[in-house]
Amino acid sequence: MILPIFIWEKYMYATDFEYDGQYLSDYGFMICDPYDSSGVQRYAGGSKITFHKCKTNHGKKYNLGYAQYEECIHVTITIIKNPAVYGKDNMQITNDEYRDLIRWLNRREFLKFQLLGGDEYDGETCYYEASFNIYKLEIYGVLYGLELSVETNAPFGYGQEQICKWTVKDSGKPYILANTSDELGLLYPSLSIEILADGDFTLHNQLSDCTMKIETCKKGETIFVDPENSRIESTMRKNICDAWNCEYFCIENDMNTRMNPITCSLPCKIELRYIPIIKDSIE
């Protein structure tokens, strides 16, 4: 039975997705366009911002008080059995297949979600943290599709983790690091620093004018900095916080430049990790 309401010959650019390490295609399903929606389509782009304004000059002008992100990203996706796997005459979703999908997707936590597609789909660098509410799509009481209401925990997505490694031999020579995030402002990366000479260690960003300082470091000591979880640890001492200036290192991104010139005071090996913000909708 071929169903006119589901247009599987007219695929969306994204035909598959990954969620918590599993793929929709592993279940023999695919994303579809549930209706014949040819022509121009309108999608939200970026993150929705609400601007709170104050009236001045008898209402002739409004000054910006503050701005904030209004809501997390939400989108609806329709999935059906892949006719290339099951055949067009075997598209009914069984109760066991339905329960397998519910078990996988309908969970009380936000997990990594990423759309996947063919050569024409360019969104695979962006992922979200999401969960799903699920609705049945039935025709004459027979289940042929599922509508997934994708709920995320942020007004934006995330890019793949950026890992930067470099060795400092000349403490006066800057290392240039790019902040590739779509969001202007500061990001606080995690750090692993192997000290190669005794002394007071400083890590300075000329763009953000940020300096992280740790005193009395020893050759061979490795320092781990995890701003997200408010942790700083050393392989040689338990009281490293007593030697630290309580300032986490950050990288900046403004309208003039993404490039951060970074210098440090001691020879060392540095590994820096951060996840850029990607302001893209799920479409």
Side-chain angles (χ1 to χ4, degrees):
M1 179 180 181
I2 299 177
L3 305 172
I5 193 170
F6 295 115
I7 311 300
W8 51 69
E9 292 88 354
K10 188 180 176 68
Y11 300 150
M12 298 172 63
Y13 286 143
T15 57
D16 196 4
F17 65 75
E18 176 188 359
Y19 183 64
D20 190 30
Q22 296 187 61
Y23 297 88
L24 181 65
S25 54
D26 292 341
Y27 292 80
F29 280 67
M30 60 174 288
I31 300 172
C32 79
D33 186 349
Y35 309 104
D36 188 359
S37 52
S38 58
V40 176
Q41 299 187 26
R42 177 180 178 268
Y43 299 117
S47 302
K48 184 178 179 180
I49 302 173
T50 297
F51 298 93
H52 297 268
K53 296 164 282 188
C54 302
K55 181 169 62 176
T56 62
N57 194 18
H58 304 288
K60 295 181 179 178
K61 186 176 181 181
Y62 286 76
N63 291 334
L64 179 63
Y66 66 96
Q68 65 182 18
Y69 292 115
E70 187 62 26
E71 59 189 28
C72 297
I73 289 178
H74 170 269
V75 73
T76 298
I77 295 173
T78 301
I79 63 171
I80 60 171
K81 283 185 169 181
N82 188 339
V85 175
Y86 291 97
K88 293 185 178 181
D89 294 328
N90 188 28
M91 299 297 288
Q92 177 181 346
I93 301 172
T94 67
N95 186 59
D96 287 343
E97 291 165 341
Y98 169 73
R99 290 183 60 189
D100 285 343
L101 290 167
I102 285 287
R103 183 174 180 271
W104 174 41
L105 299 173
N106 189 222
R107 295 156 73 172
R108 294 176 294 175
E109 55 187 328
F110 293 112
L111 300 168
K112 183 177 179 180
F113 166 73
Q114 184 176 10
L115 291 173
L116 304 170
D119 295 337
E120 296 183 10
Y121 182 69
D122 62 357
E124 295 178 22
T125 58
C126 185
Y127 73 89
Y128 308 85
E129 294 179 349
S131 189
F132 302 83
N133 287 313
I134 301 177
Y135 304 91
K136 295 181 178 181
L137 298 177
E138 297 182 349
I139 301 175
Y140 303 117
V142 179
L143 182 61
Y144 285 102
L146 297 174
E147 184 178 270
L148 309 183
S149 177
V150 186
E151 302 283 349
T152 73
N153 64 350
F156 39 69
Y158 302 95
Q160 302 304 313
E161 183 178 47
Q162 303 296 300
I163 304 174
C164 305
K165 300 179 182 181
W166 71 98
T167 299
V168 177
K169 296 180 180 179
D170 181 357
S171 59
K173 185 177 180 180
Y175 176 84
I176 307 300
L177 186 145
N179 179 347
T180 61
S181 177
D182 292 347
E183 174 81 337
L184 300 179
L186 304 177
L187 282 178
Y188 290 85
S190 62
L191 297 164
S192 174
I193 306 162
E194 181 184 350
I195 303 297
L196 301 180
D198 294 351
D200 293 341
F201 175 80
T202 60
L203 187 64
H204 178 70
N205 185 342
Q206 298 176 26
L207 179 62
S208 62
D209 195 24
C210 163
T211 302
M212 184 182 73
K213 182 177 181 180
I214 302 172
E215 298 175 343
T216 61
C217 294
K218 299 296 184 181
K219 181 180 179 180
E221 179 179 14
T222 300
I223 298 167
F224 303 98
V225 182
D226 180 7
E228 183 175 355
N229 297 298
S230 302
R231 288 190 339 197
I232 179 168
E233 298 175 348
S234 167
T235 56
M236 288 190 175
R237 44 182 163 168
K238 295 182 179 180
N239 60 341
I240 188 172
C241 288
D242 295 339
W244 174 45
N245 68 343
C246 296
E247 183 172 354
Y248 287 110
F249 183 75
C250 63
I251 56 176
E252 190 171 5
N253 175 5
D254 61 32
M255 286 304 298
N256 295 317
T257 184
R258 296 177 180 268
M259 302 303 173
N260 291 254
I262 299 170
T263 57
C264 56
S265 59
L266 292 177
C268 60
K269 294 180 180 179
I270 298 177
E271 180 179 294
L272 179 151
R273 295 170 177 257
Y274 76 95
I275 298 176
I277 291 171
I278 306 296
K279 291 185 176 181
D280 197 6
S281 57
I282 306 175
E283 296 293 354

